[in-house]
């Protein structure tokens, strides 16, 4: 069939049409027909009131329903539902659409048959797990709690660290089907209003049916969708998010996922870890410098091997050349294919150990790595120098605290290997130039991605490659254009 | 899609401009397993006025090493002809040492040096040396000992801290192009099929004019204004070894630039003294200092006379005629002046450390 068959108009008539109908017990029952978890309870109170309770058993807290709704309704005789149930907020519902939305998000719908009114009460089922240690950004010294899937619990974790009235939280509902709750968090009087407006506008423009993960939103918020670099920071650590908020950034919390967005970010911030601030400042700076070097090693070590063995043999020292030459003479492939094959093998191993059951993954990863690496050398598929290069670059890629960045860097490494195979060291330089140009063109919430470098903000360099003592970092990042630039409380304009 | 299309067209355009539509613009592929990077060249003139290049291939340990050579009117031609003698392509990108035959050095080195200088793949840290004797047979006998790599490592070590003088392409050319100095190279001889360091080959412009013996080489170093430290300095006349010698050289010209005063201050430790057991050095050290001074002055005068005869200012004395505002000699005028200069050389010797006093066993 060349043309797609249009679905017939009769098929199109679905829930969307029925929600326009009038709100009645019958329409609700029709709407929720064939739903095993849809329940209906009729209550006849001694005071002569008649109520019908509609709810989805899977979404509401049944214990709370008995205690806070059914009991007060049976024993109370105040005349109306809001008066009978005093402890929880009761909302009047007048449309079928609202009734359906509330029922599907963990509310019960109370039909007052005598007064012919509908009321909604939110009593969602508490499905949260306990607060656990962050698996993605674990640190040795420092707070160990992490966000969970429950949005309110996540807000609590932030509010406990920032007990100030200026911490504002705007709520949005996104996803035409998932109706996912999204909180936009910021510190009022600190955050640049321009960033806030831009973010709100971006959120309002989101149009999609289901949002299950934070990364689903980021693809809608990205300034450059085709870039390999993450333009928003994802973290499940409350301390990271609080630190971002306090420096004048904004944060987005999506219901159902433990990963919270912080924005805007810069390229250099992706190399920062909360542990930098735990160590002595010299050690912290040293570790951060190593991370930058490791990033360059990830990008350039294997391509440099390809460039040297394919074109620029004169760049290597004589002793190293003899070693490479001795082993290369046994390898049947040319260096580009050799490097591609081995890098790909490492990626397969890495991806495999990620998907494997967690108990066997590390041992199988190690065994697989050693066995495959050794066998590749013994059989002459790859030279030991390349295997060492690949192992070092593979390890180096994990030094970047941001996992999204780790994977991006691996992809960039492949591009660089291709360039090195095409044009040697000239190709690598060309790739670096393009990378520089691309990074310069990127923005995160309209703020430059390589901010303290271009545009140049001299004060921000205190916390980029060198992590200077916290006492010296008296000002907030300049690129954020915060309303209050000073972190010290001696300044009058600071938040109290 | 328009974004991807735009980027694709842009990338294609960049590739087009970079490669210039032709294969030859792309750098040549040098798969290292297919090439034979040479480490050492020995260049000599042939009887029919050609240049002969000898090298050792390959540097891979697994394959049998052998010597290949070829001759041509030009150096590049000879290097290219090397490929005809070997199944891998001989490459110059890892060339580290060039031994030049004394006869070729006497004819003038400019063409050879210029070829190396203009090849971008050859490092400026290429060691140059002049050799006299049957170098080819020496290479043949030491082939299996990786002599090329061994010699490179030896020179590399001596460049920074050794007692054997080394010179690389960069410094040779720097002296060659300077108006105020002449180049020099280390001089080796093949004696009993062994490579022996024998002193310095001094050049006038690009042609070798004389060679200095090992004894003269030590005085040359002492006089050289830029060499300020000597780990070991043997004074043969009184069987003394000086250690950790620091020198300060002062060069003053008279107003007419006809006379030059060179004063060298030495301060050193007494290392070894053959007569130390017989006489108490602590009482006689002043006499010893005088003896060393007069001996060094005599040797220095002889050396300078030799250099003047060879018309080669490889000590770089001419540099000291320049001041911040004045540059009295231009072009070849310094060369004319050099051979007629009157030298007044003075050494001032002091011992920093005389070591232990009289041996207690003799008492």
């Amino acid at each position: 069939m060349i043309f797609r068959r249009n679905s017939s108009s009769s098929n199109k008539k679905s829930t969307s049409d029925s929600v326009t109908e009038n709100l009645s017990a019958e329409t609700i029952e029709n709407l929720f027909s064939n739903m095993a978890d849809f329940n209906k309870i009729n209550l006849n109170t001694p005071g002569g009131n008649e109520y019908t309770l509609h709810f989805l058993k899977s979404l509401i807290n049944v214990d709370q329903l008995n205690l806070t709704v059914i009991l007060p309704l049976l024993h109370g005789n105040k005349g109306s539902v809001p008066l009978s149930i005093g402890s929880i907020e009761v909302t009047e519902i007048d449309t079928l659409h609202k009734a359906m939305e509330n029922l599907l998000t963990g509310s019960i719908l109370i039909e007052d048959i005598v007064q012919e009114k509908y009321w909604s009460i939110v009593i969602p089922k508490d499905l949260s797990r306990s607060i656990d240690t962050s698996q993605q950004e674990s640190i040795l010294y420092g707070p160990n709690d992490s966000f969970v899937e429950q949005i309110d619990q996540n807000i609590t974790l932030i509010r406990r660290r920032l007990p100030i009235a200026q911490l504002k939280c705007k709520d949005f509902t996104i996803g035409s089907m998932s109706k996912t709750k999204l909180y936009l968090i910021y510190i009022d009087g600190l955050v640049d209003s321009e960033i806030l407006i831009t973010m709100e506008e971006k959120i309002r423009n989101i149009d999609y049916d289901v949002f299950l993960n934070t990364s689903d939103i980021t693809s809608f918020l990205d300034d450059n969708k085709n870039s390999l670099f993450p333009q928003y920071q994802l973290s499940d650590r409350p301390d990271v998010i609080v630190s971002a908020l306090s420096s004048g950034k904004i944060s987005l919390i999506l219901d159902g996922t433990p990963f919270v967005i912080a924005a805007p970010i810069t390229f250099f911030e992706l190399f920062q870890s909360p542990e930098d601030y735990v160590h002595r400042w010299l050690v912290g700076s040293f570790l951060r410098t190593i991370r930058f070097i490791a990033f360059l090693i990830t990008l350039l070590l294997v391509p440099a091997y390809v460039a040297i063995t394919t074109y620029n043999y004169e760049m290597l020292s004589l002793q190293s050349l003899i070693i490479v030459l001795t082993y290369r003479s046994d390898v049947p492939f040319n260096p580009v294919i050799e490097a591609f094959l081995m890098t790909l093998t490492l990626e397969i191993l890495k991806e495999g150990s990620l998907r494997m059951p967690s108990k066997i993954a590390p041992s199988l990863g190690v065994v697989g790595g050693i066995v495959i690496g050794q066998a590749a050398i013994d059989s002459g598929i790859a030279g030991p120098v390349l295997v060492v290069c690949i192992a070092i670059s593979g390890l180096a890629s994990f030094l970047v605290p941001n996992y999204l960045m780790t994977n991006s860097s691996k992809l960039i490494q492949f591009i660089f290997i291709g360039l090195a195979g095409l044009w040697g060291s000239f190709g690598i330089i060309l790739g670096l130039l393009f990378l520089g140009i691309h990074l310069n063109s990127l923005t995160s919430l309209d703020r430059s991605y390589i901010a303290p470098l271009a545009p140049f903000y001299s004060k921000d360099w205190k916390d980029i490659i060198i992590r200077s003592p916290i006492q010296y970092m008296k000002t907030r990042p300049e690129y954020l254009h915060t309303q209050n630039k000073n972190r010290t409380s001696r300044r009058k304009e600071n938040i109290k | 899609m328009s974004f991807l299309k735009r980027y694709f067209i842009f990338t294609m355009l960049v590739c087009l401009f970079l490669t210039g539509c032709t294969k030859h613009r792309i750098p040549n592929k040098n798969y290292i397993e297919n090439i034979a990077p040479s480490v050492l060249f020995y260049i000599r003139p042939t009887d029919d006025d050609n240049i002969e290049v000898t090298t050792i291939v390959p540097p891979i340990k697994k394959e049998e090493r052998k010597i290949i050579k070829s001759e041509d009117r030009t150096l590049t031609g000879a290097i290219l002809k090397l490929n005809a003698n070997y199944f891998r392509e001989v490459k110059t990108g890892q060339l580290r040492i060039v031994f030049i035959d004394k006869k070729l050095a006497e004819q003038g080195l400019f063409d050879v040096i210029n070829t190396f200088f203009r090849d971008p793949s050859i490092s400026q840290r290429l060691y140059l040396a002049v050799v006299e004797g049957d170098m080819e047979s020496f290479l043949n006998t030491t082939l299996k000992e990786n002599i090329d790599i061994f010699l490179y490592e030896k020179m590399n070590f001596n460049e920074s801290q050794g007692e054997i003088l080394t010179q690389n392409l960069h410094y040779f050319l720097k002296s060659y192009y300077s108006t105020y100095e002449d180049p020099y190279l280390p001089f080796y001889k093949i004696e009993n099929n062994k490579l022996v360091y024998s002193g310095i080959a001094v050049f006038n412009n690009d042609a070798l004019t004389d060679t200095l013996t090992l004894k003269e080489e030590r005085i040359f170093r002492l006089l050289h204004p830029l060499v300020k430290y000597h780990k070991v300095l043997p004074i043969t006349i009184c069987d003394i070894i000086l250690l950790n010698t620091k020198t300060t050289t002062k060069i003053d010209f008279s107003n007419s630039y006809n006379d030059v005063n060179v004063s060298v201050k030495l301060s050193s430790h007494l290392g070894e003294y053959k007569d130390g057991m017989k006489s108490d050095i602590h009482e006689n050290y002043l006499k010893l200092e005088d003896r060393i001074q007069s001996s060094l002055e005599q040797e220095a005068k002889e050396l300078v006379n030799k250099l003047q005869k060879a018309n080669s200012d490889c000590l770089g004395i001419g540099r000291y005629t320049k001041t911040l505002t004045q540059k009295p000699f231009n072009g070849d005028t310094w060369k004319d002046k050099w051979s007629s200069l009157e030298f007044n050389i003075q050494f001032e010797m002091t011992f920093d450390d005389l070591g232990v006093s009289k041996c207690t066993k003799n008492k």
Side-chain angles (χ1 to χ4, degrees):
Chain A
M1 278 261 276
I2 297 170
F3 300 103
R4 256 186 249 169
R5 189 171 55 191
N6 283 330
S7 52
S8 63
S9 56
S10 59
N11 286 347
K12 271 192 168 179
K13 192 174 185 264
S14 60
T15 323
S16 56
D17 287 335
S18 54
V19 290
T20 53
E21 291 172 17
N22 286 332
L23 180 59
S24 67
E26 198 185 335
T27 51
I28 290 170
E29 274 170 37
N30 280 341
L31 213 58
F32 290 92
S33 60
N34 295 329
M35 280 178 151
D37 55 342
F38 180 71
N39 281 40
K40 195 177 89 174
I41 297 173
N42 291 317
L43 291 179
N44 290 321
T45 63
N49 286 330
E50 270 184 61
Y51 302 110
T52 310
L53 272 61
H54 305 271
F55 57 89
L56 285 161
K57 207 166 72 180
S58 54
L59 290 179
I60 64 146
N61 189 336
V62 181
D63 293 340
Q64 212 183 345
L65 173 73
N66 286 330
L67 281 171
T68 54
V69 180
I70 297 177
L71 277 173
L73 282 177
L74 284 173
H75 299 293
N77 190 15
K78 307 270 172 57
S80 72
V81 175
L83 287 174
S84 302
I85 306 165
S87 58
I88 311 177
E89 193 189 339
V90 182
T91 326
E92 190 177 350
I93 300 291
D94 46 8
T95 63
L96 185 61
H97 179 75
K98 269 189 187 175
M100 189 186 70
E101 209 170 80
N102 282 19
L103 277 168
L104 288 169
T105 51
S107 301
I108 62 158
L109 192 72
I110 303 171
E111 183 190 356
D112 190 337
I113 295 168
V114 178
Q115 293 187 5
E116 292 182 354
K117 278 185 176 174
Y118 288 85
W119 306 91
S120 162
I121 300 169
V122 188
I123 41 168
K125 189 175 253 181
D126 197 10
L127 274 180
S128 176
R129 62 183 165 94
S130 62
I131 294 169
D132 215 344
T133 313
S134 170
Q135 298 291 319
Q136 283 69 30
E137 296 171 85
S138 58
I139 62 168
L140 288 176
Y141 295 97
N144 274 327
D145 54 348
S146 67
F147 288 124
V148 290
E149 283 76 9
Q150 198 71 21
I151 193 165
D152 293 325
Q153 209 162 338
N154 294 344
I155 296 280
T156 314
L157 286 172
I158 294 174
R159 281 217 186 272
R160 275 191 188 167
R161 285 174 166 85
L162 284 175
I164 49 167
Q166 286 88 345
L167 183 73
K168 303 294 178 195
C169 179
K170 286 187 180 176
D171 72 320
F172 299 87
T173 306
I174 55 167
S176 56
M177 273 169 79
S178 62
K179 307 284 178 203
T180 319
K181 222 189 268 181
L182 176 75
Y183 282 165
L184 169 65
I185 305 177
Y186 60 95
I187 296 178
D188 197 22
L190 188 66
V191 71
D192 181 19
S193 53
E194 223 174 90
I195 297 177
L196 204 62
I197 292 164
T198 317
M199 185 55 110
E200 280 184 42
E201 207 176 289
K202 275 176 187 274
I203 294 170
R204 286 203 183 92
N205 287 335
I206 292 175
D207 183 17
Y208 202 64
D209 54 354
V210 176
F211 286 93
L212 301 172
N213 203 345
T214 325
S215 48
D216 299 344
I217 332 172
T218 52
S219 54
F220 283 91
L221 304 177
D222 278 345
D223 290 351
N224 186 340
K225 288 170 187 56
N226 298 309
S227 175
L228 289 172
F229 292 95
Q231 288 148 51
Y232 294 92
Q233 189 180 7
L234 296 184
S235 180
D236 65 345
R237 296 186 60 87
D239 53 337
V240 171
I241 296 302
V242 168
S243 163
L245 287 170
S246 68
S247 58
K249 293 183 185 184
I250 50 179
S251 183
L252 291 176
I253 308 181
L254 189 75
D255 197 12
T257 167
F259 291 98
V260 177
I261 298 175
I265 55 155
T266 65
F267 174 73
F268 303 103
E269 281 167 1
L270 295 170
F271 293 86
Q272 295 174 359
S273 160
E275 213 165 32
D276 293 349
Y277 303 91
V278 176
H279 287 294
R280 314 288 303 163
W281 75 271
L282 281 168
V283 182
S285 307
F286 168 69
L287 291 176
R288 208 177 263 183
T289 317
I290 284 183
R291 266 179 234 137
F292 281 102
I293 295 168
F295 178 69
L296 287 178
I297 286 175
T298 313
L299 295 193
L300 302 177
L301 189 64
V302 181
Y305 170 85
V306 172
I308 284 169
T309 49
T310 314
Y311 294 98
N312 312 102
Y313 69 97
E314 64 272 2
M315 284 168 72
L316 213 57
S317 74
L318 189 61
Q319 288 83 351
S320 324
L321 182 84
I322 291 166
I323 297 169
V324 179
L325 205 61
T326 311
Y327 290 110
R328 268 295 307 159
S329 56
D330 294 336
V331 180
F333 307 112
N334 71 37
V336 189
I337 295 174
E338 185 194 6
F340 262 122
L341 272 179
M342 291 313 289
T343 318
L344 204 68
T345 312
L346 182 78
E347 288 309 299
I348 290 168
L349 264 174
K350 212 169 82 181
E351 210 41 39
S353 59
L354 271 179
R355 311 279 162 244
M356 274 177 210
S358 60
K359 280 185 182 169
I360 55 163
S363 51
L364 211 66
V366 170
V367 171
I370 292 168
V371 169
I372 292 175
Q374 192 57 44
I377 294 165
D378 290 345
S379 60
I381 291 172
V385 180
L386 176 72
V387 173
V388 169
C389 288
I390 283 177
I392 292 171
S393 71
L395 272 179
S397 69
F398 286 103
L399 255 72
V400 183
N402 194 305
Y403 184 64
L404 299 175
M405 189 70 172
T406 302
N407 283 340
S408 302
S409 64
K410 293 302 281 183
L411 186 56
I412 299 167
Q413 186 195 38
F414 274 102
I415 298 169
F416 271 88
I417 292 173
L419 285 171
L422 272 178
W423 296 311
S425 55
F426 174 64
I428 294 178
I429 298 293
L430 204 71
L432 282 175
L433 279 174
F434 270 101
L435 190 69
I437 293 166
H438 175 66
L439 281 174
N440 195 26
S441 72
L442 281 184
T443 52
S444 167
L445 273 186
D446 297 340
R447 293 281 184 270
S448 170
Y449 197 58
I450 47 168
L453 187 69
F456 190 79
Y457 296 110
S458 58
K459 281 182 183 172
D460 288 5
W461 280 88
K462 284 174 192 166
D463 194 19
I464 297 297
I465 295 167
I466 300 289
R467 199 281 284 172
S468 42
I470 289 175
Q471 293 92 319
Y472 296 158
M473 291 190 266
K474 288 178 180 167
T475 52
R476 297 198 164 85
E478 271 190 84
Y479 82 95
L480 290 169
H481 304 308
T482 48
Q483 292 178 37
N484 178 7
K485 291 196 177 354
N486 300 304
R487 281 179 179 272
T488 46
S489 56
R490 283 176 199 165
R491 310 289 168 110
K492 278 178 189 172
E493 65 270 30
N494 209 355
I495 293 171
K496 283 172 186 171
Chain B
M1 274 315 280
S2 65
F3 169 81
L4 285 175
K5 213 184 285 173
R6 208 174 52 193
Y7 262 65
F8 179 73
I9 293 167
F10 178 67
T11 315
M12 292 315 291
L13 277 174
V14 167
C15 293
L16 195 74
F17 280 117
L18 284 173
T19 57
C21 294
T22 157
K23 208 178 168 184
H24 307 294
R25 297 275 174 189
I26 305 169
N28 290 324
K29 277 200 166 95
N30 297 311
Y31 291 124
I32 56 166
E33 61 273 20
N34 298 342
I35 56 166
S38 283
V39 177
L40 181 144
F41 270 1
Y42 165 57
I43 304 167
R44 72 175 190 96
T46 58
D47 296 337
D48 46 356
D49 213 16
N50 278 353
I51 292 174
E52 188 187 80
V53 179
T54 311
T55 188
I56 304 171
V57 282
I60 305 179
K61 287 168 190 162
K62 288 176 185 173
E63 288 175 28
E64 198 187 335
R65 289 162 68 79
K66 64 174 184 177
I67 283 179
I68 53 169
K69 60 179 180 178
S70 67
E71 62 171 85
D72 196 82
R73 297 289 299 163
T74 59
L75 179 65
T76 316
I79 294 170
L80 283 174
K81 276 186 181 173
L82 284 173
N83 294 328
N85 296 340
Y86 193 58
F87 70 98
R88 294 187 198 279
E89 192 183 344
V90 176
K91 289 276 182 180
T92 52
Q94 284 286 346
L95 194 63
R96 302 302 170 107
I97 315 166
V98 174
F99 280 100
I100 298 154
D101 195 83
K102 196 183 168 196
K103 284 175 205 158
L104 184 67
E106 280 165 352
Q107 288 168 21
L109 283 181
F110 181 74
D111 291 339
V112 173
I113 298 294
N114 192 34
T115 308
F116 290 132
F117 178 62
R118 290 181 65 191
D119 186 344
S121 69
I122 294 177
S123 165
Q124 292 281 297
R125 295 183 68 188
L126 175 74
Y127 294 118
L128 300 173
V130 175
V131 66
E132 188 182 22
D134 192 357
M135 182 74 178
E136 207 180 304
S137 92
F138 166 73
L139 290 178
N140 254 321
T141 47
T142 51
L143 191 63
K144 284 177 184 161
E145 296 161 20
N146 289 341
I147 189 67
D148 45 356
I149 292 154
F150 166 73
L151 281 174
Y152 164 64
E153 281 171 357
K154 181 185 166 185
M155 286 196 180
N156 204 11
F157 170 77
N158 278 293
E159 186 183 29
S160 55
Q161 50 184 329
E163 289 300 302
I164 290 175
L165 197 122
T166 58
Q167 184 74 306
N168 64 31
L169 183 62
H170 171 78
Y171 284 113
F172 183 88
L173 281 172
K174 193 184 165 209
S175 313
Y176 172 73
Y177 283 116
S178 167
T179 317
Y180 298 98
E181 61 181 314
D182 284 301
Y184 62 91
L185 288 180
F187 178 57
Y188 289 84
K189 273 182 187 169
I190 305 289
E191 287 172 0
N192 300 325
N193 213 17
K194 280 179 185 162
L195 189 72
V196 182
Y197 176 64
S198 311
I200 297 174
V202 293
F203 286 76
N204 177 17
N205 285 328
D206 67 329
L208 187 145
T209 46
D210 207 345
T211 54
L212 306 182
T213 60
L214 270 180
K215 194 177 161 190
E216 286 165 338
E217 187 244 35
R218 283 182 195 117
I219 303 298
F220 177 86
R221 285 196 199 208
L222 268 183
L223 273 182
H224 203 293
L226 299 180
V227 183
K228 293 180 193 294
Y229 177 74
H230 310 263
K231 205 163 136 192
V232 182
L233 185 69
I235 309 290
T236 41
I237 196 161
C238 36
D239 293 329
I240 279 182
I241 301 289
L242 301 178
L243 298 177
N244 302 327
T245 308
K246 289 166 204 152
T247 53
T248 320
T249 311
K250 203 177 165 195
I251 296 165
D252 287 320
F253 282 89
S254 64
N255 288 338
S256 59
Y257 292 100
N258 288 328
D259 305 291
V260 58
N261 291 319
V262 180
S263 74
V264 185
K265 283 184 182 172
L266 283 91
S267 60
S268 55
H269 299 178
L270 183 66
E272 194 178 331
Y273 181 29
K274 248 192 162 179
D275 292 338
M277 300 284 275
K278 295 170 199 162
S279 59
D280 190 352
I281 186 77
H282 287 263
E283 286 169 12
N284 301 321
Y285 75 94
L286 285 174
K287 280 183 193 168
L288 194 66
E289 280 177 0
D290 286 343
R291 231 177 125 193
I292 294 170
Q293 279 171 27
S294 57
S295 148
L296 288 177
E297 277 167 12
Q298 182 58 34
E299 284 174 21
K301 269 176 196 161
E302 283 168 15
L303 173 77
V304 168
N305 282 338
K306 197 172 181 180
L307 291 177
Q308 280 180 316
K309 272 183 194 165
N311 202 16
S312 169
D313 177 17
C314 47
L315 282 169
I317 301 288
R319 281 197 302 262
Y320 295 87
T321 58
K322 288 192 289 183
T323 60
L324 275 174
T325 50
Q326 280 185 320
K327 208 176 169 186
F329 297 98
N330 288 310
D332 287 333
T333 49
W334 169 248
K335 283 282 164 64
D336 301 337
K337 186 57 105 180
W338 167 252
S339 25
S340 60
L341 260 183
E342 277 296 323
F343 271 87
N344 179 20
I345 302 170
Q346 285 174 331
F347 278 85
E348 200 181 317
M349 164 82 207
T350 45
F351 282 116
D352 283 348
D353 183 1
L354 291 167
V356 291
S357 62
K358 259 185 181 177
C359 186
T360 46
K361 273 186 183 175
N362 285 357
K363 279 184 177 177

